[in-house]
Amino acid sequence: VQLQASGGGLVHTGGSLRLSCAASGTIFSDNTMGWYRQAPGKQRELVAIISSGGRTNYLDSLKGRFTISRDNAKNTMYLQMNSLKPEDTAVYYCNRAPGLWFQFSEKNIQYFYDFWGQGTQVTVSS
């Protein structure tokens, strides 16, 4: 079982980053996938969802700035993050998602799945 997020780093406000998620086929294949983030002292939140067919859904506050995509042949998912803000600072994780139209307001999303791979730190300086 593999879920490896990468591509994080330190950027200034307004900068961009592209995150990648390498997943094992058992997790990725035919599944709706999502990007999550957890800021210090806060609960993990779901921020972007992509279906196996490429349909997408986003946390309202991120629409227009973040773009989720996937390459099914490579079992890889991406998150292009533009116009980054300090409030985007968090550890970003990838995992399956409960559904394309799942409520982003779910407070206990962290407990929906037993396995979470290593996240990647995104820090946006003001």
Side-chain angles (χ1 to χ4, degrees):
V1 178
Q2 178 188 13
L3 281 168
Q4 179 68 53
S6 61
L10 172 63
V11 296
H12 293 297
T13 296
S16 297
L17 284 172
R18 188 191 193 207
L19 306 184
S20 297
C21 170
S24 57
T26 54
I27 293 178
F28 196 86
S29 179
D30 295 327
N31 280 322
T32 295
M33 297 292 294
W35 281 100
Y36 304 75
R37 67 184 182 186
Q38 187 165 13
K42 295 188 177 181
Q43 291 180 309
R44 192 165 301 179
E45 64 175 348
L46 177 62
V47 300
I49 307 170
I50 186 165
S51 70
S52 59
R55 298 176 70 189
T56 60
N57 192 14
Y58 299 91
L59 184 66
D60 281 346
S61 62
L62 303 181
K63 289 179 180 178
R65 296 196 298 122
F66 286 19
T67 302
I68 188 173
S69 61
R70 65 192 289 165
D71 185 334
N72 290 336
K74 297 181 179 179
N75 290 340
T76 303
M77 179 173 64
Y78 307 96
L79 186 68
Q80 177 67 43
M81 305 186 296
N82 298 328
S83 302
L84 283 163
K85 304 175 181 180
E87 51 263 42
D88 295 319
T89 294
V91 178
Y92 284 71
Y93 300 87
C94 57
N95 209 329
R96 290 174 292 159
L100 182 61
W101 306 113
F102 190 76
Q103 294 183 16
F104 288 99
S105 59
E106 171 60 50
K107 300 296 184 184
N108 296 309
I109 193 69
Q110 182 174 354
Y111 305 104
F112 275 51
Y113 302 106
D114 293 331
F115 177 74
W116 291 86
Q118 184 175 351
T120 186
Q121 175 71 49
V122 172
T123 303
V124 185
S125 63
S126 57

